[in-house]
């Protein structure tokens, strides 16, 4: 069982010195997103040269001051220079839910620009560690062909096993978990509404299993609400999922000021001085 290295250091956001204390935290998969999941990803995409577009929906009355405008929904879309991949921040745009958590980022790619449809999509809720999503996007950006698979599913399990995760006894070729049995990654039927260009997703009958994709989630306690969840459509290349899995399970500490309430007692932390 993990415990804080410095239990006497405050976790409350307010501190006598003003501002929030910073900690180096582990394990990463329970460290949350620091309340910066949008900023962390948007900064990365900006550095990669992706274009951002903001769509604001609201109501504007005649002679109304700009600050009084009622904004109903907004979406931020980031598009790669070749327009083959894009990332959408959808938290403010009536997102659907994954593991009872709202989707924050939807990342998609297509084979060529002749089709407006995505070949695959991946979905991430809040509190997915931003480092894992960032590494996934950097690997996606570096690919010449973002929709072409380059490796098999074994690569994903090898990535987490290299960081001490253990394979599921019943599904050793399809699932793994961390040593505390709180975070999991599994290859299986994707949840409803997960978009994918695989034609099987459209032809599967109600009593048939659909195409398999990778799912990852953290459940701080048995039966407790998930801390975060991620879902990858069936056509997401396994090597990209492996990059996410390797970053998620990494033993390297991450810098955090905001710790998830559900897991803060499980985190090792050292003040960042």
């Amino acid at each position: 069982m993990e415990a804080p290295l410095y239990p006497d250091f405050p976790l409350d956001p307010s501190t006598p010195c003003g501002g929030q204390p910073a900690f180096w935290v582990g394990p990463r998969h329970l460290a949350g997103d620091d309340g910066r999941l949008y900023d962390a990803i948007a900064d990365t995409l900006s550095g990669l040269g992706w274009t951002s577009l903001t769509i604001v929906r609201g109501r504007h009355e005649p002679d109304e001051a700009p600050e009084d405008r009622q904004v109903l929904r907004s979406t931020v879309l980031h598009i790669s220079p070749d327009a083959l991949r894009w990332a959408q921040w959808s938290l403010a745009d009536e997102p659907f839910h994954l593991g009872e958590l709202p989707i924050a980022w939807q990342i998609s790619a297509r084979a060529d620009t002749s089709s407006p449809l995505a070949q695959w999509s991946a979905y991430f809720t809040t509190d997915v560690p931003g480092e894992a999503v960032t590494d996934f996007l950097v690997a996606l950006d570096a690919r010449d062909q973002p929709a072409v698979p380059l490796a098999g599913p074994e690569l994903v399990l090898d990535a987490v096993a290299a960081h001490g995760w253990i394979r599921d006894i019943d599904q050793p070729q399809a699932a793994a978990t961390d040593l505390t049995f709180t975070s999991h990654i599994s290859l299986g039927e994707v949840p409803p509404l997960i978009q994918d260009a695989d034609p099987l997703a459209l032809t599967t009958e109600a009593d048939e299993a659909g195409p398999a994709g990778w799912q990852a989630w953290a459940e701080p306690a048995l039966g407790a609400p998930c801390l975060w969840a991620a879902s990858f459509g069936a056509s997401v290349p396994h090597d990209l999922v492996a990059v996410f899995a390797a970053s998620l399970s990494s033993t390297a500490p991450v810098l955090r000021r905001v710790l998830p309430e559900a897991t803060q007692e499980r985190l090792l932390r050292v003040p960042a001085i």
Side-chain angles (χ1 to χ4, degrees), residues 4-19:
L5 288 178
Y6 292 84
D8 296 329
F9 277 83
L11 289 178
D12 192 288
S14 59
T15 65
C17 299

Side-chain angles (χ1 to χ4, degrees), residues 30-179:
L30 297 180
D33 63 12
D34 206 29
R36 298 188 65 256
L37 190 58
Y38 175 76
D39 292 334
I41 304 308
D43 289 348
T44 296
L45 296 176
S46 177
L48 293 173
W50 290 35
T51 300
S52 64
L53 304 171
T54 302
I55 303 170
V56 178
R57 303 173 178 88
R59 185 165 52 250
H60 186 68
E61 302 294 338
D63 302 323
E64 184 181 36
E67 60 269 20
D68 294 330
R69 181 181 180 185
Q70 298 181 41
V71 175
L72 302 181
R73 297 188 298 164
S74 62
T75 299
V76 183
L77 182 66
H78 300 258
I79 305 173
S80 66
D82 62 6
L84 292 180
R85 52 215 103 190
W86 58 94
Q88 178 177 329
W89 173 257
S90 57
L91 193 61
D93 195 26
E94 298 182 0
F96 65 88
H97 287 65
L98 182 66
E100 299 184 356
L101 298 170
I103 298 294
W105 280 103
Q106 176 180 340
I107 299 170
S108 306
R110 56 183 174 177
D112 57 69
T113 57
S114 63
S115 172
L117 301 178
Q119 186 74 18
W120 58 257
S121 292
Y123 304 81
F124 306 90
T125 71
T126 53
D127 272 326
V128 174
E131 294 82 1
V133 184
T134 291
D135 288 343
F136 177 83
L137 279 164
V138 170
L140 171 61
D141 181 80
R143 264 173 155 264
D144 292 331
Q145 297 177 302
V148 177
L150 298 179
E154 190 69 18
L155 194 64
V156 178
L157 297 177
D158 287 346
V160 296
H163 293 148
W165 287 33
I166 56 177
R167 295 181 184 241
D168 186 275
I169 295 177
D170 298 323
Q171 305 177 76
Q173 304 305 315
T177 183
D178 78 291
L179 291 177

Side-chain angles (χ1 to χ4, degrees), residues 209-236:
W214 287 100
Q215 317 301 314
W217 67 97
E219 186 179 20
L222 186 62
C226 289
L227 172 65
W228 57 262
S231 183
F232 302 85
S235 297
V236 178

Side-chain angles (χ1 to χ4, degrees), residues 9-11 21-25 254-257 259 269-272:
F9 277 83
L11 289 178
F23 296 90
W24 288 107
V25 172
V254 290
L255 192 63
R256 293 289 187 268
R257 294 181 182 275
L259 302 179
R269 55 188 182 272
V270 176

